[in-house]
Amino acid sequence: MTATSAAAGNPTSKLIEIKDLSKVYGTGSIAVQALRSVSATVEKGEFVAVMGASGSGKSTLMNILGCLDRPTSGTYILDGEDGSRLSKNQLASVRNKKIGFVFQSYNLLPRFTAIKNVTLPMMYNPQGAFGSGYSHT
């Protein structure tokens, strides 16, 4: 797996910092090491691409960076907070306020229109990116 980035503007501080991040699924003889001592830094204003062969740990890394999973070891600092030490409720708050997702399979709710699917997260954070003046009816 390879992470590459290109600065967009003048990065001023670290947005993401991972140090010796590892993830192991299972235990004993059936343990699978999905990530092994991955370290990287993403500055504010950078665009990043995570690339690699199938099975190289890209999805595992993205799940950890998206606060959907926790590393087995290592640290994950997101905007100054140690994401590897947050509770489930704190992780949910981080996902709501700091992270946006675009899933490969979209994960849309079939009973909602496209607009309602896109604005649904705003119900949980009405003061988000659009502020209080945006209506999501």
Side-chain angles (χ1 to χ4, degrees), residues 9-127:
N10 258 342
T12 57
S13 63
K14 295 176 185 176
L15 179 64
I16 294 173
E17 184 175 12
I18 55 176
K19 294 180 187 174
D20 297 321
L21 209 64
S22 294
K23 180 66 179 181
V24 178
Y25 294 102
T27 59
S29 64
I30 58 169
V32 175
Q33 189 151 20
L35 295 176
R36 182 178 297 125
S37 297
V38 177
S39 296
T41 300
V42 178
E43 303 285 338
K44 289 183 178 181
E46 283 188 309
F47 291 95
V48 177
V50 178
M51 302 178 293
S54 178
S56 64
K58 300 179 302 294
S59 293
T60 300
L61 177 62
M62 296 306 292
N63 284 337
I64 292 170
L65 295 179
C67 296
L68 295 170
D69 201 357
R70 296 173 188 262
T72 304
S73 64
T75 56
Y76 167 37
I77 309 297
L78 174 63
D79 202 18
E81 277 190 282
D82 189 346
S84 52
R85 299 185 190 278
L86 298 177
S87 70
K88 285 184 180 184
N89 286 341
Q90 290 169 317
L91 289 172
S93 179
V94 168
R95 284 192 301 271
N96 180 262
K97 294 176 182 167
K98 295 186 177 185
I99 298 174
F101 293 96
V102 178
F103 293 98
Q104 258 183 312
S105 59
Y106 305 113
N107 294 331
L108 301 176
L109 300 174
R111 66 182 179 274
F112 285 178
T113 65
I115 293 290
K116 285 197 181 226
N117 267 287
V118 170
T119 58
L120 179 63
M122 294 177 61
M123 291 176 52
Y124 300 101
N125 186 13
Q127 300 301 316

